[in-house]
């Protein structure tokens, strides 16, 4: 299926070359579901939780900073936490001032990470939509460049570099399971593969943004609740990614908070991988039986966020 979108493989490839010096090529861990107490099934975990700042978001942040003209006023972003940390980190690396607006649901771990990168942190409202409105007002007032967390061409293309990297690492996979909030990650990945691989979305029951949009045929307001609300709970899925999702995302699966929490614990116990709720959501679809693979199906799962205080040392 052909989709009229600026999120193309050619632009993703060009952007990957541009940002490559600034990001990590994250590893793949090959596991078997028998180690998680399930029936035997080999699965490839793409550990984007080991990316700079603890999530894939740094790809889109650098794509924006290197691909757009940045004014003297610097950059501004709204975030549940991970995008803000990524923009703050990339801005510090480029010597650019950054202001990050976050809602009250942002975890202390993510807020502290944003501050640690030297950005000015602003608390605005209870949900991501509130922080977004505040960031847009700030941009209008100061002239700072807005870097949207998911509904921005450069952001989507930057996240799409993860699809390119996965194909380099795992050329023979059949299916990729991807957690969804605003849809920047899955939109970029689906734009890269463009139907050549099965792409399955996974969302928390409390924030089914893409699920409801696919049912309605267009982005709609969705609930923004649940354990992963700081990373997977915007008001609506992004308009730029939605046509890509309609064309290239097979379907959206919903997982419960309990399934996400169990997956977090299982990843730590079985593989010593510490992730935040949003980072565990995609694997929760397998562990919870929401996604049932066909015999012989080769599956990759994105483990994409590590900004958590669930594991403490000392």
């Amino acid at each position: 299926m052909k989709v009229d979108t600026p999120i193309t493989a050619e632009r993703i490839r060009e952007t990957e070359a541009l940002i490559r010096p600034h990001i990590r090529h994250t590893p793949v861990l090959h596991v078997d579901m028998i180690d998680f107490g399930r029936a035997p099934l080999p699965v490839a975990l793409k550990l984007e939780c080991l990316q700079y700042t603890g999530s894939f978001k740094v790809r889109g942040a650098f794509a924006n900073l290197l691909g757009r003209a940045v004014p003297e006023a610097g950059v501004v972003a709204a975030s549940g936490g991970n995008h803000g940390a990524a923009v703050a980190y990339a801005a510090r690396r480029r010597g650019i001032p950054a202001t990050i607006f976050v809602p009250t649901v942002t975890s202390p771990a993510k807020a502290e990470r944003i501050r640690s990168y030297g950005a000015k942190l602003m608390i605005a409202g209870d949900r991501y939509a509130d922080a977004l409105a505040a960031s847009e007002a700030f941009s209008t007032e100061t002239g700072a460049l807005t870097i949207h967390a998911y509904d921005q061409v450069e952001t989507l293309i930057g996240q799409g570099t993860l699809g390119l990297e996965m194909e380099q690492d795992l050329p023979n996979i059949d299916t990729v399971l991807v957690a969804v909030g605003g849809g920047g990650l899955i939109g970029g990945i689906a734009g890269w593969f463009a139907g050549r691989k099965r792409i399955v979305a996974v969302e928390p029951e409390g924030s089914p943004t893409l699920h409801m949009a696919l049912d309605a045929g267009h982005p709609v307001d969705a609930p923004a609740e649940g354990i992963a609300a700081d990373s997977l709970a915007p008001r609506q899925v992004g308009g730029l990614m939605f046509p890509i999702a309609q064309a290239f995302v097979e379907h959206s699966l919903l997982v419960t908070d309990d399934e996400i929490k169990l997956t977090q614990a299982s990843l730590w116990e079985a593989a010593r991988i510490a992730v935040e709720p949003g980072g565990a959501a995609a694997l929760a679809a397998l562990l919870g039986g929401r996604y049932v693979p066909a015999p012989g199906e080769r599956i990759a799962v994105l483990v994409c966020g590590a900004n958590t205080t669930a594991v403490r040392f000392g």
Side-chain angles (χ1 to χ4, degrees):
M1 181 184 298
K2 184 171 177 57
V3 180
D4 185 15
T5 173
I7 317 305
T8 63
E10 180 180 3
R11 292 192 67 180
I12 290 170
R13 191 178 290 109
E14 291 171 352
T15 297
E16 199 277 339
L18 184 66
I19 70 175
R20 172 49 50 198
H22 306 283
I23 63 172
R24 289 176 178 148
H25 188 128
T26 51
V28 172
L29 178 65
H30 294 274
V31 299
D32 196 295
M33 288 296 98
I34 196 170
D35 297 327
F36 295 83
R38 302 297 186 269
L41 175 71
V43 173
L45 303 180
K46 177 63 168 172
L47 300 183
E48 193 66 6
C49 53
L50 300 181
Q51 186 57 261
Y52 290 117
T53 76
S55 86
F56 67 90
K57 296 281 192 176
V58 76
R59 296 173 182 268
F62 274 114
N64 275 277
L65 292 184
L66 297 173
R68 301 169 67 193
V70 179
E72 288 187 12
V75 297
V76 61
S79 171
N82 286 338
H83 175 63
V87 171
Y89 172 82
R92 186 180 70 174
R93 286 276 296 265
R94 302 295 297 170
I96 295 168
T99 302
I100 310 298
F101 287 81
V102 300
T104 57
V105 296
T106 296
S107 73
K110 293 180 181 181
E112 181 54 37
R113 184 169 289 272
I114 291 169
R115 290 192 184 97
S116 76
Y117 295 136
K120 183 177 181 181
L121 182 72
M122 307 291 288
I123 310 296
D126 293 330
R127 289 292 181 263
Y128 169 77
D130 303 318
L132 178 61
S135 73
E136 291 171 342
F138 180 88
S139 176
T140 299
E141 178 183 343
T142 66
L145 179 71
T146 298
I147 300 180
H148 199 282
Y150 53 88
D151 204 21
Q152 177 88 40
V153 169
E154 290 81 6
T155 302
L156 280 154
I157 291 172
Q159 319 310 22
T161 66
L162 183 48
L164 184 160
E165 191 172 298
M166 290 185 73
E167 187 157 28
Q168 292 173 339
D169 294 340
L170 300 162
N172 296 318
I173 56 170
D174 301 308
T175 303
V176 184
L177 301 185
V178 186
V180 175
L185 178 59
I186 200 168
I189 289 174
W192 169 257
F193 285 114
R196 293 182 291 110
K197 306 291 182 182
R198 179 182 297 111
I199 309 297
V200 177
V202 182
E203 302 178 85
E205 284 186 344
S207 50
T209 52
L210 181 58
H211 192 90
M212 289 181 62
L214 290 172
D215 282 349
H218 56 88
V220 295
D221 285 357
E225 306 296 339
I227 191 174
D230 65 341
S231 59
L232 301 180
R235 178 175 293 168
Q236 289 189 3
V237 75
L240 284 170
M241 68 77 61
F242 186 67
I244 303 172
Q246 284 185 305
F248 301 130
V249 173
E250 184 170 283
H251 55 277
S252 168
L253 301 172
L254 302 181
V255 294
T256 67
D257 280 0
D258 285 345
E259 288 167 340
I260 290 173
K261 287 187 285 187
L262 177 61
T263 301
Q264 281 184 285
S266 297
L267 274 167
W268 178 247
E269 291 301 321
R272 282 302 185 256
I273 297 170
V275 295
E276 63 189 271
L283 185 60
L286 270 181
L287 293 187
R290 305 286 178 163
Y291 186 78
V292 180
E297 185 175 351
R298 296 163 296 190
I299 299 174
V301 179
L302 275 173
V303 181
C304 53
N307 290 311
T308 176
T309 54
V311 178
R312 294 181 180 273
F313 300 97

